[in-house]
Amino acid sequence: MNFEFERSHYALGNLDEAELPAGPLDLLRDWLREATERGCPEPTAMALATASAEGRPSNRFVLVRGLSEDGIEFFTNYLSRKGQELTENPFAAATFWWPLMERQVRLEGRVEKLTAAESDAYFNARPLESQRASAASPQSQVVESREALERLIEQFPADGPVERPDHWGGYRLIPGRIEFWQGRPARLHDRVVYERKDDGTWTLSRLAP
Ligand SMILES: Cc1cc2nc3c(=O)[nH]c(=O)nc-3n(C[C@H](O)[C@H](O)[C@H](O)COP(=O)(O)O)c2cc1C
């Protein structure tokens, strides 16, 4: 199979330093909002890369469920592969790609757990079926069969309530570096990167595509 002739032409937008906000999380919020409004599928899905203590990377998609002044929030099983890697090595990298917008965003930074109260608030707002599944599923472990997995879920009452287990909750990725990428014609794409200084303010630089 040959993909050599698969070439997209990018021409929807541009990045102009003079028009960018001082803080990258404001820009990320705008881009997430636009991706949602324009109908990008799963607009909050980001590829989340973690690494073991030995520096071996692994990567998967998660959904961003909140954006605060400090960073972006996602929810998962703390005992999963990603959870174990974040315990060993609390740094992660994440990437969004919105093909309909011809935009990519890359984040890198430290990850910390949300408080139990924050995780409870999110868990309790989820549909009951999702609560049962996330409470029952030993995420990332080998299961004997589909039937065995469904039996695990049946241990939780079909009419609720389901309490959030300690091993399930949220993380906040606090970026120290965020890059915004906008596709441009002839492969001369726009790339701008924000890097956080010790005083909490951000520098802004342009990178070659
Ligand atoms: C679009 C999409 C969104 C996902 N969102 C989440 C999520 O928010 N939390 C989660 O734990 N897994 C989510 N998953 C499943 C993960 O990609 C992954 O299979 C799971 O978290 C186990 O990963 P791990 O074994 O590396 O820990 C999502 C998958 C896809 C394709």
Side-chain angles (χ1 to χ4, degrees):
M1 207 162 181
N2 186 339
F3 296 111
E4 194 174 327
F5 300 108
E6 290 289 323
R7 290 212 176 88
S8 303
H9 177 71
Y10 298 130
L12 284 181
N14 68 306
L15 283 171
D16 178 354
E17 287 89 334
E19 291 174 6
L20 296 176
L25 289 167
D26 293 330
L27 186 56
L28 178 58
R29 185 177 292 109
D30 289 347
W31 280 26
L32 278 164
R33 190 182 300 123
E34 275 183 65
T36 306
E37 288 169 0
R38 298 270 181 98
C40 292
E42 292 290 23
T44 71
M46 63 176 187
L48 174 78
T50 54
S52 65
E54 296 78 39
R56 286 183 176 238
S58 68
N59 196 10
R60 79 290 290 156
F61 281 93
V62 294
L63 297 178
V64 172
R65 292 308 198 188
L67 194 64
S68 68
E69 281 296 295
D70 301 326
I72 53 176
E73 293 153 11
F74 59 93
F75 290 83
T76 192
N77 187 312
Y78 290 141
L79 303 178
S80 64
R81 178 170 178 192
K82 75 182 89 50
Q84 290 185 21
E85 290 185 356
L86 288 170
T87 302
E88 291 174 21
N89 176 356
F91 291 91
T95 307
F96 294 91
W97 164 235
W98 298 290
L100 292 179
M101 314 288 297
E102 303 174 351
R103 284 174 173 171
Q104 171 181 235
V105 176
R106 297 167 57 177
L107 304 98
E108 293 161 35
R110 171 176 278 280
V111 175
E112 60 181 32
K113 280 185 182 173
L114 299 187
T115 64
E118 287 171 314
S119 291
D120 283 341
Y122 177 73
F123 185 86
N124 294 335
R126 300 182 84 203
L128 180 60
E129 281 309 297
S130 307
Q131 292 178 342
R132 290 175 84 213
S134 48
S137 172
Q139 193 178 57
S140 314
Q141 291 180 32
V142 173
V143 286
E144 199 184 290
S145 61
R146 176 79 206 184
E147 292 69 35
L149 179 64
E150 288 175 6
R151 276 199 302 277
L152 287 176
I153 289 170
E154 280 156 19
Q155 292 169 6
F156 291 85
D159 53 354
V162 178
E163 209 175 300
R164 178 182 67 86
D166 288 342
H167 64 258
W168 195 95
Y171 286 104
R172 181 177 291 115
L173 169 58
I174 303 165
R177 179 185 169 99
I178 308 188
E179 180 196 317
F180 294 85
W181 184 102
Q182 176 78 58
R184 298 291 308 270
R187 295 294 180 267
L188 274 185
H189 311 303
D190 280 338
R191 301 177 66 189
V192 295
V193 61
Y194 289 83
E195 288 174 286
R196 200 176 44 228
K197 294 192 286 185
D198 290 343
D199 67 2
T201 61
W202 297 85
T203 60
L204 181 65
S205 319
R206 177 172 288 265
L207 301 180

